[in-house]
Amino acid sequence: MVIDFYKYQGTGNDFVMIDNRSLFFPKDDVALIERLCDRRFGIGADGLILLENDKDTDFRMVYYNSDGNESSMCGNGGRCLVAFAKQLNVIDKTTTFIATDGLHHATVGANGLVSLQMIDVDKLTITPEYTFLNTGSPHHVQIVNDLEHYNVKEKGAAIRYSELYGKAGSNINFVSQINEDTFAVRTYERGVEDETLACGTGVTAVAIAMNATGVTSAKALHLNVEGGKLEVSFDKLGSQYTNVFLKGPAQFVFKGQIEI
């Protein structure tokens, strides 16, 4: 069977997009999804996303990591899927869709920027060494020195597979502060098992963690990632972070066909 696919990227976080509203795609074929994401033997991507029908919202997001397994929420993937839905004429400029972590609202700007509402956060584990929280996916946030030369893959894997997070593991974010409202972030992603050029749920976690630990009082932050720049804003009501929005570019790269 030959299928149509679309390739999107958001600050270098890249995804294979498939219109699965007819439910033709073999969703349980882990090896197939892994092959499609393979950068040498397939299309190449950090993950694969299916757009499906949903009876209560505009569409459903089904996300797989590049290892072929269905995973938790992906922020940049969600933003790219919104852009994909617009390309398919499923939506216009605003949308509501369902993902594994619940309901999401999003808007598409005239300049191609997609703003995606993330889940509320009210539970953080704060220690002197790191902060842990879930922004749709689990994230470890840690400030480090000399981030530019930090061995993210080696250090990230060591924490991801440590007893701290057990079998499920966590995404690992390393951070350095540039100024009051700007931070540089590099992320090791579980499921990809390597550093990615950006991570949407990761920068969201970093922004909230930096505010929660008093590193910054800003509620609208700029996050510089390896693949570009993202923005995160939120409101803080007591210990709860609400109206959390992730904003950045979501760009169509190319479309094609592949035999599966």
mmCIF file of all heavy atoms in Angstrom, residues 73-79 105-107 113-118 199-204 223 230-233 243-248:
data_model
loop_
_atom_site.group_PDB
_atom_site.id
_atom_site.type_symbol
_atom_site.label_atom_id
_atom_site.label_comp_id
_atom_site.label_asym_id
_atom_site.label_seq_id
_atom_site.Cartn_x
_atom_site.Cartn_y
_atom_site.Cartn_z
ATOM 1 N N MET A 73 1.927 13.633 25.409
ATOM 2 C CA MET A 73 1.745 14.845 24.605
ATOM 3 C C MET A 73 3.066 15.391 24.072
ATOM 4 O O MET A 73 4.095 15.346 24.742
ATOM 5 C CB MET A 73 1.050 15.917 25.452
ATOM 6 C CG MET A 73 0.782 17.213 24.721
ATOM 7 S SD MET A 73 -0.231 16.968 23.240
ATOM 8 C CE MET A 73 -0.256 18.616 22.542
ATOM 9 N N CYS A 74 2.997 15.925 22.865
ATOM 10 C CA CYS A 74 4.140 16.588 22.232
ATOM 11 C C CYS A 74 3.704 17.992 21.854
ATOM 12 O O CYS A 74 2.808 18.161 21.019
ATOM 13 C CB CYS A 74 4.579 15.802 21.005
ATOM 14 S SG CYS A 74 5.890 16.592 20.051
ATOM 15 N N GLY A 75 4.299 19.012 22.467
ATOM 16 C CA GLY A 75 3.877 20.389 22.245
ATOM 17 C C GLY A 75 4.146 20.897 20.843
ATOM 18 O O GLY A 75 3.257 21.451 20.173
ATOM 19 N N ASN A 76 5.374 20.727 20.363
ATOM 20 C CA ASN A 76 5.682 21.162 18.997
ATOM 21 C C ASN A 76 4.918 20.334 17.979
ATOM 22 O O ASN A 76 4.492 20.839 16.940
ATOM 23 C CB ASN A 76 7.187 21.078 18.731
ATOM 24 C CG ASN A 76 7.954 22.191 19.400
ATOM 25 O OD1 ASN A 76 7.458 23.293 19.561
ATOM 26 N ND2 ASN A 76 9.178 21.899 19.821
ATOM 27 N N GLY A 77 4.734 19.055 18.273
ATOM 28 C CA GLY A 77 3.930 18.208 17.396
ATOM 29 C C GLY A 77 2.492 18.678 17.332
ATOM 30 O O GLY A 77 1.870 18.684 16.259
ATOM 31 N N GLY A 78 1.956 19.080 18.479
ATOM 32 C CA GLY A 78 0.601 19.608 18.510
ATOM 33 C C GLY A 78 0.468 20.867 17.684
ATOM 34 O O GLY A 78 -0.511 21.064 16.941
ATOM 35 N N ARG A 79 1.471 21.755 17.784
ATOM 36 C CA ARG A 79 1.438 22.976 16.991
ATOM 37 C C ARG A 79 1.513 22.674 15.499
ATOM 38 O O ARG A 79 0.810 23.269 14.682
ATOM 39 C CB ARG A 79 2.563 23.921 17.413
ATOM 40 C CG ARG A 79 2.397 24.476 18.823
ATOM 41 C CD ARG A 79 3.389 25.577 19.162
ATOM 42 N NE ARG A 79 4.766 25.233 18.851
ATOM 43 C CZ ARG A 79 5.388 25.560 17.729
ATOM 44 N NH1 ARG A 79 4.766 26.263 16.805
ATOM 45 N NH2 ARG A 79 6.635 25.201 17.524
ATOM 46 N N HIS A 105 -6.734 24.039 23.013
ATOM 47 C CA HIS A 105 -7.167 25.117 22.130
ATOM 48 C C HIS A 105 -5.933 25.679 21.440
ATOM 49 O O HIS A 105 -4.846 25.705 22.021
ATOM 50 C CB HIS A 105 -7.869 26.226 22.919
ATOM 51 C CG HIS A 105 -9.056 25.763 23.697
ATOM 52 N ND1 HIS A 105 -10.288 25.576 23.126
ATOM 53 C CD2 HIS A 105 -9.192 25.431 25.007
ATOM 54 C CE1 HIS A 105 -11.140 25.159 24.039
ATOM 55 N NE2 HIS A 105 -10.493 25.059 25.195
ATOM 56 N N ALA A 106 -6.108 26.153 20.201
ATOM 57 C CA ALA A 106 -4.969 26.712 19.470
ATOM 58 C C ALA A 106 -5.449 27.729 18.453
ATOM 59 O O ALA A 106 -6.596 27.699 17.998
ATOM 60 C CB ALA A 106 -4.182 25.602 18.772
ATOM 61 N N THR A 107 -4.541 28.626 18.096
ATOM 62 C CA THR A 107 -4.800 29.611 17.044
ATOM 63 C C THR A 107 -3.619 29.644 16.091
ATOM 64 O O THR A 107 -2.468 29.419 16.488
ATOM 65 C CB THR A 107 -5.013 31.021 17.627
ATOM 66 O OG1 THR A 107 -3.847 31.401 18.384
ATOM 67 C CG2 THR A 107 -6.236 31.065 18.524
ATOM 68 N N LEU A 113 2.773 31.595 12.927
ATOM 69 C CA LEU A 113 3.012 31.171 14.306
ATOM 70 C C LEU A 113 1.765 30.490 14.855
ATOM 71 O O LEU A 113 0.649 30.959 14.653
ATOM 72 C CB LEU A 113 3.383 32.365 15.186
ATOM 73 C CG LEU A 113 4.703 33.076 14.876
ATOM 74 C CD1 LEU A 113 4.901 34.251 15.819
ATOM 75 C CD2 LEU A 113 5.874 32.105 14.995
ATOM 76 N N VAL A 114 1.965 29.396 15.543
ATOM 77 C CA VAL A 114 0.855 28.673 16.170
ATOM 78 C C VAL A 114 0.988 28.782 17.680
ATOM 79 O O VAL A 114 2.040 28.494 18.252
ATOM 80 C CB VAL A 114 0.844 27.193 15.741
ATOM 81 C CG1 VAL A 114 -0.259 26.440 16.488
ATOM 82 C CG2 VAL A 114 0.644 27.066 14.237
ATOM 83 N N SER A 115 -0.105 29.215 18.314
ATOM 84 C CA SER A 115 -0.162 29.317 19.772
ATOM 85 C C SER A 115 -1.052 28.206 20.291
ATOM 86 O O SER A 115 -2.225 28.103 19.900
ATOM 87 C CB SER A 115 -0.713 30.681 20.182
ATOM 88 O OG SER A 115 -0.765 30.802 21.589
ATOM 89 N N LEU A 116 -0.494 27.361 21.150
ATOM 90 C CA LEU A 116 -1.176 26.166 21.634
ATOM 91 C C LEU A 116 -1.344 26.220 23.142
ATOM 92 O O LEU A 116 -0.365 26.408 23.873
ATOM 93 C CB LEU A 116 -0.367 24.919 21.252
ATOM 94 C CG LEU A 116 -0.820 23.581 21.832
ATOM 95 C CD1 LEU A 116 -2.184 23.182 21.280
ATOM 96 C CD2 LEU A 116 0.207 22.490 21.519
ATOM 97 N N GLN A 117 -2.573 26.064 23.607
ATOM 98 C CA GLN A 117 -2.809 26.024 25.051
ATOM 99 C C GLN A 117 -2.430 24.653 25.587
ATOM 100 O O GLN A 117 -2.902 23.629 25.099
ATOM 101 C CB GLN A 117 -4.259 26.337 25.393
ATOM 102 C CG GLN A 117 -4.502 26.433 26.892
ATOM 103 C CD GLN A 117 -5.895 26.931 27.241
ATOM 104 O OE1 GLN A 117 -6.818 26.822 26.444
ATOM 105 N NE2 GLN A 117 -6.044 27.470 28.440
ATOM 106 N N MET A 118 -1.581 24.656 26.612
ATOM 107 C CA MET A 118 -1.130 23.430 27.252
ATOM 108 C C MET A 118 -1.970 23.165 28.506
ATOM 109 O O MET A 118 -2.776 23.997 28.930
ATOM 110 C CB MET A 118 0.360 23.551 27.603
ATOM 111 C CG MET A 118 1.246 23.986 26.445
ATOM 112 S SD MET A 118 1.286 22.771 25.099
ATOM 113 C CE MET A 118 2.418 21.572 25.815
ATOM 114 N N CYS A 199 11.882 20.983 22.095
ATOM 115 C CA CYS A 199 10.848 20.169 22.743
ATOM 116 C C CYS A 199 9.824 21.125 23.342
ATOM 117 O O CYS A 199 10.148 21.905 24.244
ATOM 118 C CB CYS A 199 11.459 19.280 23.821
ATOM 119 S SG CYS A 199 10.221 18.297 24.719
ATOM 120 N N GLY A 200 8.596 21.071 22.841
ATOM 121 C CA GLY A 200 7.567 22.007 23.269
ATOM 122 C C GLY A 200 7.122 21.822 24.706
ATOM 123 O O GLY A 200 7.035 22.795 25.473
ATOM 124 N N THR A 201 6.814 20.580 25.093
ATOM 125 C CA THR A 201 6.447 20.342 26.491
ATOM 126 C C THR A 201 7.646 20.608 27.392
ATOM 127 O O THR A 201 7.484 20.983 28.557
ATOM 128 C CB THR A 201 5.936 18.912 26.711
ATOM 129 O OG1 THR A 201 6.908 17.972 26.222
ATOM 130 C CG2 THR A 201 4.593 18.684 26.029
ATOM 131 N N GLY A 202 8.855 20.456 26.842
ATOM 132 C CA GLY A 202 10.076 20.703 27.614
ATOM 133 C C GLY A 202 10.273 22.169 27.943
ATOM 134 O O GLY A 202 10.536 22.532 29.088
ATOM 135 N N VAL A 203 10.142 23.044 26.942
ATOM 136 C CA VAL A 203 10.322 24.477 27.217
ATOM 137 C C VAL A 203 9.189 25.001 28.084
ATOM 138 O O VAL A 203 9.376 25.922 28.884
ATOM 139 C CB VAL A 203 10.463 25.318 25.932
ATOM 140 C CG1 VAL A 203 11.704 24.919 25.154
ATOM 141 C CG2 VAL A 203 9.223 25.264 25.068
ATOM 142 N N THR A 204 8.002 24.403 27.949
ATOM 143 C CA THR A 204 6.888 24.768 28.828
ATOM 144 C C THR A 204 7.237 24.429 30.268
ATOM 145 O O THR A 204 7.014 25.230 31.190
ATOM 146 C CB THR A 204 5.604 24.041 28.400
ATOM 147 O OG1 THR A 204 5.315 24.348 27.034
ATOM 148 C CG2 THR A 204 4.430 24.447 29.271
ATOM 149 N N LEU A 223 12.318 31.205 25.146
ATOM 150 C CA LEU A 223 13.161 30.018 25.279
ATOM 151 C C LEU A 223 13.932 29.806 23.984
ATOM 152 O O LEU A 223 13.342 29.605 22.918
ATOM 153 C CB LEU A 223 12.304 28.778 25.582
ATOM 154 C CG LEU A 223 11.550 28.712 26.923
ATOM 155 C CD1 LEU A 223 12.454 29.041 28.104
ATOM 156 C CD2 LEU A 223 10.310 29.573 26.925
ATOM 157 N N LEU A 230 11.179 29.833 20.968
ATOM 158 C CA LEU A 230 9.801 29.570 21.364
ATOM 159 C C LEU A 230 9.423 30.515 22.492
ATOM 160 O O LEU A 230 10.293 31.086 23.150
ATOM 161 C CB LEU A 230 9.644 28.115 21.818
ATOM 162 C CG LEU A 230 9.808 27.053 20.723
ATOM 163 C CD1 LEU A 230 10.034 25.681 21.339
ATOM 164 C CD2 LEU A 230 8.583 27.036 19.805
ATOM 165 N N GLU A 231 8.132 30.678 22.704
ATOM 166 C CA GLU A 231 7.638 31.526 23.778
ATOM 167 C C GLU A 231 6.641 30.735 24.626
ATOM 168 O O GLU A 231 5.853 29.948 24.083
ATOM 169 C CB GLU A 231 6.946 32.769 23.215
ATOM 170 C CG GLU A 231 7.852 33.667 22.389
ATOM 171 C CD GLU A 231 7.094 34.818 21.767
ATOM 172 O OE1 GLU A 231 6.019 35.182 22.307
ATOM 173 O OE2 GLU A 231 7.559 35.344 20.740
ATOM 174 N N VAL A 232 6.688 30.960 25.938
ATOM 175 C CA VAL A 232 5.732 30.345 26.857
ATOM 176 C C VAL A 232 5.196 31.434 27.773
ATOM 177 O O VAL A 232 5.960 32.224 28.330
ATOM 178 C CB VAL A 232 6.376 29.228 27.701
ATOM 179 C CG1 VAL A 232 5.389 28.702 28.748
ATOM 180 C CG2 VAL A 232 6.857 28.090 26.806
ATOM 181 N N SER A 233 3.877 31.473 27.921
ATOM 182 C CA SER A 233 3.250 32.420 28.847
ATOM 183 C C SER A 233 2.242 31.670 29.709
ATOM 184 O O SER A 233 1.750 30.595 29.325
ATOM 185 C CB SER A 233 2.552 33.543 28.077
ATOM 186 O OG SER A 233 1.532 33.031 27.247
ATOM 187 N N ASN A 243 -3.815 28.831 32.005
ATOM 188 C CA ASN A 243 -3.709 29.600 30.758
ATOM 189 C C ASN A 243 -2.282 29.531 30.215
ATOM 190 O O ASN A 243 -1.690 30.547 29.825
ATOM 191 C CB ASN A 243 -4.127 31.056 30.975
ATOM 192 C CG ASN A 243 -5.593 31.204 31.309
ATOM 193 O OD1 ASN A 243 -6.428 30.493 30.763
ATOM 194 N ND2 ASN A 243 -5.910 32.104 32.229
ATOM 195 N N VAL A 244 -1.752 28.329 30.191
ATOM 196 C CA VAL A 244 -0.383 28.095 29.717
ATOM 197 C C VAL A 244 -0.397 27.996 28.192
ATOM 198 O O VAL A 244 -1.117 27.163 27.625
ATOM 199 C CB VAL A 244 0.192 26.799 30.327
ATOM 200 C CG1 VAL A 244 1.632 26.595 29.860
ATOM 201 C CG2 VAL A 244 0.113 26.834 31.846
ATOM 202 N N PHE A 245 0.396 28.838 27.528
ATOM 203 C CA PHE A 245 0.433 28.824 26.069
ATOM 204 C C PHE A 245 1.868 28.663 25.567
ATOM 205 O O PHE A 245 2.790 29.310 26.066
ATOM 206 C CB PHE A 245 -0.160 30.113 25.495
ATOM 207 C CG PHE A 245 -1.663 30.128 25.492
ATOM 208 C CD1 PHE A 245 -2.359 30.611 26.586
ATOM 209 C CD2 PHE A 245 -2.373 29.639 24.409
ATOM 210 C CE1 PHE A 245 -3.747 30.613 26.607
ATOM 211 C CE2 PHE A 245 -3.756 29.633 24.412
ATOM 212 C CZ PHE A 245 -4.449 30.125 25.510
ATOM 213 N N LEU A 246 2.010 27.797 24.581
ATOM 214 C CA LEU A 246 3.276 27.575 23.878
ATOM 215 C C LEU A 246 3.130 28.151 22.482
ATOM 216 O O LEU A 246 2.211 27.773 21.743
ATOM 217 C CB LEU A 246 3.587 26.075 23.804
ATOM 218 C CG LEU A 246 4.722 25.641 22.875
ATOM 219 C CD1 LEU A 246 6.068 26.125 23.398
ATOM 220 C CD2 LEU A 246 4.727 24.113 22.717
ATOM 221 N N LYS A 247 4.034 29.056 22.102
ATOM 222 C CA LYS A 247 3.911 29.747 20.815
ATOM 223 C C LYS A 247 5.214 29.658 20.035
ATOM 224 O O LYS A 247 6.302 29.816 20.597
ATOM 225 C CB LYS A 247 3.551 31.215 21.047
ATOM 226 C CG LYS A 247 3.335 32.023 19.784
ATOM 227 C CD LYS A 247 2.945 33.451 20.133
ATOM 228 C CE LYS A 247 2.719 34.307 18.896
ATOM 229 N NZ LYS A 247 2.352 35.699 19.248
ATOM 230 N N GLY A 248 5.093 29.404 18.742
ATOM 231 C CA GLY A 248 6.269 29.352 17.888
ATOM 232 C C GLY A 248 5.896 28.973 16.472
ATOM 233 O O GLY A 248 4.718 28.762 16.146
#
